[in-house]
Amino acid sequence: MTTTATTIEIPGYRAGTWKIDPTHSEVGFSIRHLMISKVKGKFERFDATFVTAEDPLESSVTASAEVASITTNEPNRDAHLRTGDFFAADQFPTIDFVSTGVRVENGEFKVDGDLTMRGVTKPVTFDFDFGGFGGDPYGNYKGGATAKAVVNREDFGLTYNAALETGGVLLGEQVTITLELQAALVQA
């Protein structure tokens, strides 16, 4: 990939509308637990649409994850995460992201946007790393990428925590969101 003042070239890039391939993608997160390790989880049901423009910096994305589909491989914890202590899945069934811009900073792509959790919307920037583009054996043209952002969960009203007898707290404030993305071009 080369960047000049007016042109960005990405090998295999095509303008059009892309839909997420959920069987080859993952919406994951990690958070500090007991102040000594990280717990990881993911949302099993999600959707995203990418609209790539002729100029990649004019591209956009809208995405949503179904809160009730959260899994951390521990059913009791997952049930607790769906309650009002955390995501309040009954009242706020989705986590949503709408991009507001794409930019290149120090040679790296950044996707800025508004993230909404628990009815609270805050600006977030994802570091966006293209994996590449290519055709699959079924005639589909696909693109892949990894996107990462770190958010403070308390900014979104997820303030539940517990003090530990040994000092510190049960959960960290910072949550790392990691998206492993593969999308198919559905309209050029």
Side-chain angles (χ1 to χ4, degrees):
M1 172 177 56
T2 59
T3 304
T4 67
T6 58
T7 305
I8 294 175
E9 294 181 27
I10 303 167
Y13 179 90
R14 293 185 188 173
T17 301
W18 304 71
K19 287 297 284 180
I20 196 77
D21 176 351
T23 61
H24 295 103
S25 300
E26 184 173 278
V27 175
F29 63 89
S30 65
I31 185 170
R32 192 65 66 194
H33 184 255
L34 299 176
M35 310 312 295
I36 59 172
S37 63
K38 291 184 180 177
V39 169
K40 294 183 177 186
K42 64 182 179 178
F43 294 92
E44 294 184 328
R45 292 185 296 277
F46 51 88
D47 191 29
T49 300
F50 305 87
V51 178
T52 52
E54 290 296 328
D55 176 352
L57 299 182
E58 294 177 7
S59 298
S60 64
V61 60
T62 57
S64 181
E66 186 179 317
V67 173
S69 74
I70 195 168
T71 180
T72 63
N73 292 320
E74 203 322 285
N76 291 327
R77 178 174 47 217
D78 297 345
H80 189 201
L81 289 169
R82 293 181 189 104
T83 71
D85 282 347
F86 290 98
F87 289 104
D90 289 343
Q91 188 177 359
F92 305 104
T94 60
I95 296 171
D96 301 296
F97 178 80
V98 178
S99 66
T100 57
V102 178
R103 59 192 163 89
V104 175
E105 186 177 290
N106 297 322
E108 302 294 328
F109 278 92
K110 308 282 184 183
V111 178
D112 300 313
D114 293 324
L115 181 66
T116 303
M117 283 191 282
R118 274 191 71 116
V120 177
T121 302
K122 297 283 183 183
V124 172
T125 298
F126 280 90
D127 296 326
F128 197 83
D129 181 32
F130 283 107
F133 297 91
D136 71 11
Y138 310 102
N140 301 301
Y141 194 69
K142 296 203 170 176
T146 299
K148 285 188 177 186
V150 176
V151 299
N152 184 321
R153 67 185 177 87
E154 293 183 352
D155 290 346
F156 295 91
L158 288 102
T159 58
Y160 176 87
N161 219 335
L164 301 174
E165 288 181 21
T166 57
V169 291
L170 181 66
L171 299 170
E173 293 177 4
Q174 303 299 312
V175 177
T176 301
I177 301 168
T178 304
L179 311 173
E180 296 296 343
L181 307 168
Q182 189 175 115
L185 183 64
V186 294
Q187 183 180 346

